[in-house]
């Protein structure tokens, strides 16, 4: 049975308006919905309810401000037999969801603007923002149909709404529909655009000359210039502000302080601050943040102390500015002290402060404290979800990152591009193709903006999960590629051993006038190294150092040694090391040389390289294993024993090899000699039969790297039960004939497993894709894509 309809009596006469004024005053003084209920009840019982628009509108707005249930607001509105436009607008302003019938009849510009403002407020919540996007498009359509598309007031509200929903293209469409945008509409557009886009829009605004920028315009443009660290444009805006007499406005000065600080010019930032007669809290926050961003933690802390001594009470933005998120290492004690201050000041419930602390602890690799901060947040913002997910991904806790993203989905919290990029990064590290495809489907389902960061993350995910063709397809569909996009695709080709394709794309990048970065050259050198392209690699390294004046880092030098070492040019690689900057010669460089010595059986040079490694990285067991295996392969058993004994005395443990395979959407992990899998008996039985077929096809186990003090038969058994063989056997058992097998190993694939997988692909007629710690191997018909060059 529906609730009884509220019927309001006809108002009694109030010639002097005293009753009406008293009623309005009582509405304003009410502090709870219950007070309003009592006031309404008395007015109904006495018959003195004033049914003119002002009291009715004031009552509804007061209910809304006191967070009365929306159903209550609607019921109150429906009680008026002839609600006027003011009352309709008041209701539209108070409801978080769009009800199109409330706009009509006779809507005005306030109707559409209030509805847009209400939707904009509701979209700030992480829940229901997908519905808000649909409602925004519906409201926009209604405004067009009602003839208000060209109204600057309505357009400003709609543009602001779309901007809050991260739908920049739609905001620009709203703007473009207005033939003569005013300053407010320009300001709304500038506030919603990203850095470079906002700067371009400001230039168009000035060149058009139809409207005069105001202080709000300059503040938005300065924010945009700071976002992209364009100090040259910032100085132009500064000069424009001086010329127009706008440079002395407080929020313009604050914008300039923020700009110069974010661009690293702390002298100018401090000079502007010191020239302010009475800097407000916002100015203090801007300068404190500038010091923090530039790693000047002591200066940031000193200014924070000065702020507190001057009588200002730090607000959440102050704490966010002073927390050393950008330079956390070496300031753990300061971090703990600030955390204590936050708790004492009762600011730990603030989302911005909690998120900053969560990010700080993630960067300090204190994931337990970070998670406790995250879990304690009463209301989790999108930024807090992103901080925790990216923290897990960046600290290698990829399973936790994906699990948290799944929890976010279960709570119907719509992700944004940053969330998607972080989760895709975790999927790429895991090699979880099925999970990456699921995230890709969410992007389409939620109609999320496919910006350059999301598209680049998709390229990286597909490349690292083995689908290089899909990665290239996404790359080719991108309209605006940045240097990171090009680097991701070049790196993907290198990972798959397609050096020629990587070089071809590198040349296309130069033809497109994209300036290569240090990461670009690293990706190209890596591709050359894994493709055996020695001459091409030498040329790229020469171009990097001589033409682009980029000082080679540890990774570049490691790649060059690896490139020459794999090609058997051990002497040249050794001599090149002496030419590298001392800062670039670390364990990676000598490790690459040692690995090459292992391949080409140069025990003398290996001994020299290992001595350097034992000095630089004495706790790494892998180097001892490599040298020991080399001595064993040369039948120098006593020397191998000495190396193993040294590792044993240091209590070093080699990282155990493990291999992951996904069957359906479920991951299965195998260790060497693993018998804990539920289907272990069937796997070993199948592997015996498979090995027999491989031997018939010409396979011979490679046992030279196995322990030397066991019988040959035992060595063959040891290599036969390596984790990748078990995973491949399980994959063959669990899938239909012809299905592609994909596995991921945490270490570099050994010589025997590489050889065995070639034979398995031949006798089973399957494509087998292996991702090891170094690269991808695509095995088909007894041949590996690496050409046995890995």
């Amino acid at each position: 049975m529906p609730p009884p309809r509220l019927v309001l009596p006809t108002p009694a006469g109030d010639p002097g308006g005293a009753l009406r004024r008293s009623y309005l005053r009582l509405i304003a003084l009410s502090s709870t919905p219950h007070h309003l209920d009592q006031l309404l009840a008395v007015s109904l019982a006495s018959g003195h309810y004033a049914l003119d628009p002002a009291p009715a509108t004031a009552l509804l707005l007061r209910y809304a401000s006191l967070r009365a249930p929306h159903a209550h607001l609607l019921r109150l509105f429906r009680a008026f037999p002839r609600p006027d436009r003011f009352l309709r607008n008041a209701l539209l302003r108070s409801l978080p969801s769009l009800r199109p019938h409330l706009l009509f009849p006779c809507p005005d510009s306030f109707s559409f603007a209030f509805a847009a403002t209400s939707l904009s407020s509701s979209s700030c919540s992480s829940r229901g923002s997908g519905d808000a996007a649909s409602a925004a498009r519906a409201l926009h359509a209604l405004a067009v149909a009602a003839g208000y598309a060209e109204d600057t007031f309505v357009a400003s509200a709609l543009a602001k709404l779309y901007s809050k929903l991260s739908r920049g293209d739609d905001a620009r469409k709203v703007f473009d529909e207005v033939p003569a945008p005013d300053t407010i509409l320009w300001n709304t557009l500038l506030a919603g655009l990203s850095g470079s886009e906002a700067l371009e829009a400001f230039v168009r605004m000035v060149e058009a000359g139809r409207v005069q920028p105001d202080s709000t315009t300059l503040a938005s443009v300065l924010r945009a210039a700071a976002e992209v660290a364009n100090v040259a444009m910032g100085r132009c805006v500064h000069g424009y502000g001086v010329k127009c007499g706008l440079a002395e406005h407080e929020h313009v000065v604050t914008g300039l302080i923020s700009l110069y600080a974010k661009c690293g010019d702390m002298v100018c930032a401090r000079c502007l601050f010191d020239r302010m007669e009475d800097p407000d809290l916002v100015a203090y926050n801007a300068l404190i943040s500038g010091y923090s961003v530039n790693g000047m933690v002591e200066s940031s802390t000193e200014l924070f102390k000065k702020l507190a001594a001057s009588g200002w009470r730090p607000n959440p933005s102050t704490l966010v500015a002073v927390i050393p998120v950008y330079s956390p290492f070496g300031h753990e004690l300061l971090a703990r002290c600030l955390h204590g201050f936050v708790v004492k000041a009762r600011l730990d419930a603030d989302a911005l402060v909690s998120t900053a602390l969560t990010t700080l602890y993630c960067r300090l690799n204190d994931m337990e404290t970070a998670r406790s901060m995250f879990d304690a947040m009463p209301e989790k913002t999108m930024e807090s979800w992103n901080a925790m997910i990216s923290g897990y991904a960046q600290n290698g806790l990829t399973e936790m990152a994906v699990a948290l993203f799944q929890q976010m989905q279960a709570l119907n919290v719509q992700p944004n591009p940053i969330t998607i990029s972080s989760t895709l990064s975790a999927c790429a590290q895991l090699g979880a193709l099925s999970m990456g495809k699921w995230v890709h489907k969410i992007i389409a389902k939620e109609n999320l903006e496919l910006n350059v960061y999301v598209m680049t993350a998709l390229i990286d995910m597909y490349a690292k999960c083995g689908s290089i063709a899909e990665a290239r397809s996404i790359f080719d569909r991108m309209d605006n590629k940045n240097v990171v996009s090009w680097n991701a695709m070049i790196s993907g080709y290198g990972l798959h051993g397609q050096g020629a394709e990587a070089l071809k794309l590198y040349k296309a990048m130069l033809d497109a006038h994209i300036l290569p970065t240090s990461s670009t050259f690293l990706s190209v050198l890596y591709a050359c190294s894994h493709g055996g392209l020695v001459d091409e690699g030498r040329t790229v390294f020469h171009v990097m150092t001589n033409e682009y004046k980029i000082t080679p880092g540890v990774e570049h030098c490691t790649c060059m040694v690896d490139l020459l070492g794999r090609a058997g040019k051990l002497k040249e690689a050794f001599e090149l090391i002496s030419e590298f900057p001392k800062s670039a010669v670390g364990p990676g460089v000598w490790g690459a040389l040692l690995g090459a010595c292992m391949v080409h059986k140069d025990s003398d040079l290996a001994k020299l390289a290992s001595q350097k490694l034992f000095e630089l990285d004495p706790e790494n067991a892998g180097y001892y294993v490599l040298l020991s295996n080399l001595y064993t392969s040369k039948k120098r058993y006593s020397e191998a024993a000495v190396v193993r004994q040294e590792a044993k005395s240091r209590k070093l443990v080699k990282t155990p090899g493990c291999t992951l395979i996904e069957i359906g959407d479920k991951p299965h992990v195998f260790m060497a000699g693993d018998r804990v899998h539920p289907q272990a008996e069937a796997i070993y039985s199948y592997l015996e039969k498979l090995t027999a077929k491989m031997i018939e096809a010409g396979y011979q186990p490679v046992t030279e790297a196995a322990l030397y003090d066991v019988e040959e038969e035992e060595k063959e058994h040891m290599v036969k039960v390596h984790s990748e063989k078990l995973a491949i056997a399980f994959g063959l058992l669990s899938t239909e004939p012809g299905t592609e097998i994909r596995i991921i190993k945490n270490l570099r694939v050994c010589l025997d497993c590489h050889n065995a997988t070639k034979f398995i692909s031949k006798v089973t007629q399957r494509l087998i894709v292996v991702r090891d710690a170094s690269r991808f191997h695509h095995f088909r018909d007894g041949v590996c894509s690496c050409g046995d060059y890995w």
Side-chain angles (χ1 to χ4, degrees), residues 545-562:
T545 54
N546 294 298
E547 292 186 24
Y548 288 93
K549 306 301 180 184
I550 294 175
T551 302
V554 175
E555 295 87 356
H556 301 96
C557 296
T558 301
C559 266
M560 280 304 296
V561 172
D562 193 50

Side-chain angles (χ1 to χ4, degrees), residues 528-778:
C528 291
S529 173
H530 285 270
L533 305 174
V534 179
D535 292 337
E536 293 85 345
R538 285 197 192 102
T539 300
V540 169
F541 189 77
H542 177 82
V543 167
M544 179 187 79
T545 54
N546 294 298
E547 292 186 24
Y548 288 93
K549 306 301 180 184
I550 294 175
T551 302
V554 175
E555 295 87 356
H556 301 96
C557 296
T558 301
C559 266
M560 280 304 296
V561 172
D562 193 50
L563 170 71
L564 297 169
R566 287 173 188 273
K569 301 181 183 297
L570 299 179
K571 184 178 179 182
E572 183 181 347
F574 178 68
E575 291 173 351
L576 187 62
I577 292 174
S578 63
E579 298 176 14
F580 292 149
K582 288 185 179 180
S583 60
V585 181
V589 171
W590 292 108
L593 184 61
L594 178 59
C597 292
M598 176 69 189
V599 173
H600 297 286
K601 305 295 185 288
D602 189 330
S603 54
D604 294 330
L605 192 54
K607 185 175 182 180
L608 191 153
S610 61
Q611 287 173 349
K612 293 287 186 181
L613 286 166
F614 297 158
E615 293 172 10
L616 294 169
D617 193 8
E619 303 304 313
N620 192 320
Y623 303 136
Y624 291 87
V625 173
L626 271 178
L627 185 60
S628 172
N629 287 346
L630 176 57
Y631 283 143
T632 300
S633 68
K634 302 279 282 188
K635 302 188 184 304
R636 294 163 63 173
Y637 300 131
S638 59
E639 290 169 276
V642 170
V643 175
R644 289 182 183 272
Q645 184 58 43
E646 177 65 20
K648 188 176 180 180
S649 67
R650 290 177 176 271
K651 298 181 180 180
L652 302 180
V653 180
K654 180 179 179 288
T655 303
C658 65
T659 302
L660 177 144
I661 183 171
E662 282 188 316
I663 301 297
D665 291 336
K666 185 178 179 184
H668 300 261
V669 179
F670 292 88
M671 307 285 284
D674 202 341
R675 289 188 178 272
V676 298
H677 194 277
Q679 293 176 248
E681 188 175 339
I683 292 169
Y684 276 84
S685 175
Y686 180 81
L687 191 55
E688 286 291 338
K689 297 174 184 176
L690 184 62
T691 303
K693 289 182 180 179
M694 290 158 55
I695 291 173
E696 286 180 14
Y699 164 69
Q700 291 183 340
V702 181
T703 60
E704 64 181 29
L707 292 174
Y708 66 86
D709 54 351
V710 296
E711 297 297 326
E712 189 67 25
E713 185 178 342
E714 180 65 15
K715 289 182 182 181
E716 291 184 14
H717 175 73
M718 289 166 64
V719 296
K720 186 166 65 178
V721 294
H722 278 185
S723 61
E724 48 263 66
K725 292 190 180 77
L726 297 175
I728 291 171
F730 175 64
L732 292 168
L733 269 174
S734 306
T735 57
E736 295 295 322
T739 306
E740 179 182 313
I741 303 293
R742 291 172 178 267
I743 66 170
I744 300 168
K745 183 170 181 179
N746 66 326
L747 304 176
R748 186 179 172 194
V749 63
C750 77
L751 182 61
D752 179 69
C753 285
H754 189 270
N755 189 38
T757 308
K758 289 195 293 184
F759 280 94
I760 294 172
S761 71
K762 183 176 181 179
V763 300
T764 63
Q765 293 297 297
R766 298 280 196 112
L767 169 62
I768 303 174
V769 180
V770 178
R771 184 182 116 178
D772 68 7
S774 180
R775 59 171 292 164
F776 272 93
H777 303 261
H778 297 253

